[in-house]
Amino acid sequence: MNTDHFIQEAKVAAEKAGGFLTVELFDQFRDKNKTVTWDTFNRKTKIGFKDFLKLANIYSKDEYILVKNKKKAISNFKLINLKNGSVNRRSYEEKDYEPKWDYISEHFGKDKIAVEAGVRISGQYLNENDILMALKNTIKEIGYIPSKTDYIKLKLKPSEKSLRSKGLNWDQAMRKSKFRPEGHATKDLICNMEDCFNQFTPSEEGNVFCDSCYKKVRSGLIQKIENIRNIDELRKITKKLIWFGNNHIEIFDLYKNDTY
């Protein structure tokens, strides 16, 4: 009996059946003019059905369900991550998604699904780059360089323990995040400009921008002033600049907005 021909016919039957085969589905969807029944093939070849499926690279029903559920789990993790920035049991179960959280943990491992989905489980970090980015965002959010002791007291995330789990001590983690950890002694700040993570030592109390961002803002404001034709508008923005300087976030509002 031609096994290669039988395999090709079985693949066609699997496609018709929806992507997997059982003995019953094979006999239902086989081309009865070209292919004998499974029992006939089995008697002549002595190949078991499971072994045949492996030989033909065709999913069994259980394998198909696992693959399908794995794809669903990855997709679900990605959807939740888009909204929350991470995934955990609570956020997953609130959606009443299938497959269930416990099923994912038992059959695939939630950590492995998170890695394949490219997302983070709350309180966990995929790799060094992931945890360093989380640290950068935390430092950006608080706006200044804390000491290790202050960071731990504030219970900020990622925790110092999480950093150590990735083989990073405090100084290493801060330096790899492009921060100078000793900057807490000089009360260094993080620039208030959007998407800027520059650390700077304020030259006077109330500074909110690093030098490069302040120069950018100042240059943009000068261009706007040069285009002002109304003397009242000129007086208004000039007064604000005198009061704000580099000491107030509202100078950024002046810079990014077309109106004053």
Side-chain angles (χ1 to χ4, degrees):
M1 179 168 286
N2 190 328
T3 301
D4 289 339
H5 169 76
F6 197 84
I7 287 174
Q8 292 305 314
E9 291 300 316
K11 288 181 179 292
V12 173
E15 289 181 10
K16 293 178 180 178
F20 64 92
L21 275 186
T22 62
V23 171
E24 293 76 15
L25 287 174
F26 172 79
D27 284 335
Q28 178 182 347
F29 289 103
R30 68 185 173 88
D31 187 333
K32 297 174 178 60
N33 295 319
K34 296 181 179 179
T35 312
V36 299
T37 65
W38 168 256
D39 286 342
T40 300
F41 179 81
N42 177 245
R43 283 197 304 271
K44 292 184 177 181
T45 62
K46 306 302 181 183
I47 299 176
F49 191 70
K50 288 184 178 180
D51 291 334
F52 172 75
L53 291 180
K54 289 181 180 179
L55 179 66
N57 196 25
I58 296 173
Y59 289 135
S60 67
K61 183 177 181 179
D62 289 342
E63 290 171 337
Y64 177 80
I65 291 173
L66 276 175
V67 170
K68 187 175 181 180
N69 281 334
K70 185 177 182 180
K71 290 179 180 178
K72 283 184 179 179
I74 291 172
S75 177
N76 292 342
F77 271 41
K78 288 180 177 180
L79 288 172
I80 293 173
N81 185 71
L82 281 175
K83 181 179 180 181
N84 300 334
S86 62
V87 178
N88 57 30
R89 176 189 281 270
R90 182 178 179 181
S91 63
Y92 190 90
E93 291 183 341
E94 282 178 350
K95 295 293 185 180
D96 199 28
Y97 281 143
E98 293 289 346
K100 300 299 185 185
W101 182 268
D102 288 338
Y103 178 97
I104 294 172
S105 298
E106 178 182 349
H107 290 85
F108 313 119
K110 60 184 183 300
D111 292 343
K112 290 182 179 179
I113 292 298
V115 170
E116 291 198 44
V119 305
R120 180 172 63 85
I121 294 179
S122 300
Q124 298 181 18
Y125 303 92
L126 300 178
N127 49 43
E128 181 179 289
N129 288 336
D130 187 36
I131 200 170
L132 290 177
M133 181 54 67
L135 177 63
K136 286 186 68 172
N137 287 330
T138 294
I139 300 299
K140 172 72 173 178
E141 185 175 347
I142 64 175
Y144 65 93
I145 299 298
S147 67
K148 176 182 174 181
T149 301
D150 287 341
Y151 188 90
I152 295 173
K153 283 182 178 179
L154 291 170
K155 297 181 179 180
L156 299 173
K157 302 293 183 180
S159 67
E160 192 263 342
K161 182 179 178 180
S162 294
L163 292 171
R164 284 191 281 107
S165 74
K166 298 299 181 186
L168 298 166
N169 62 37
W170 174 251
D171 281 5
Q172 287 172 331
M174 290 292 283
R175 293 188 188 283
K176 285 192 173 185
S177 300
K178 309 301 182 184
F179 297 129
R180 301 184 303 278
E182 64 277 4
H184 70 88
T186 53
K187 298 181 179 180
D188 282 2
L189 303 179
I190 306 302
C191 182
N192 221 317
M193 180 69 82
E194 296 174 352
D195 300 323
C196 179
F197 292 83
N198 285 345
Q199 173 181 346
F200 71 98
T201 304
S203 57
E204 59 183 74
E205 185 177 354
N207 285 174
V208 295
F209 299 113
C210 66
D211 286 344
S212 61
C213 285
Y214 181 58
K215 289 176 181 177
K216 178 181 178 181
V217 170
R218 189 172 58 189
S219 175
L221 285 171
I222 289 173
Q223 290 181 354
K224 286 188 175 186
I225 290 171
E226 288 177 346
N227 293 327
I228 291 176
R229 297 293 178 264
N230 186 303
I231 191 65
D232 290 333
E233 287 185 357
L234 181 61
R235 289 194 182 102
K236 187 176 180 180
I237 191 173
T238 302
K239 287 178 181 179
K240 285 186 176 182
L241 288 173
I242 291 172
W243 285 108
F244 293 160
N246 190 10
N247 296 326
H248 202 287
I249 191 62
E250 287 187 29
I251 192 174
F252 178 63
D253 294 330
L254 293 174
Y255 161 71
K256 69 179 181 179
N257 295 329
D258 291 331
T259 59
Y260 308 113

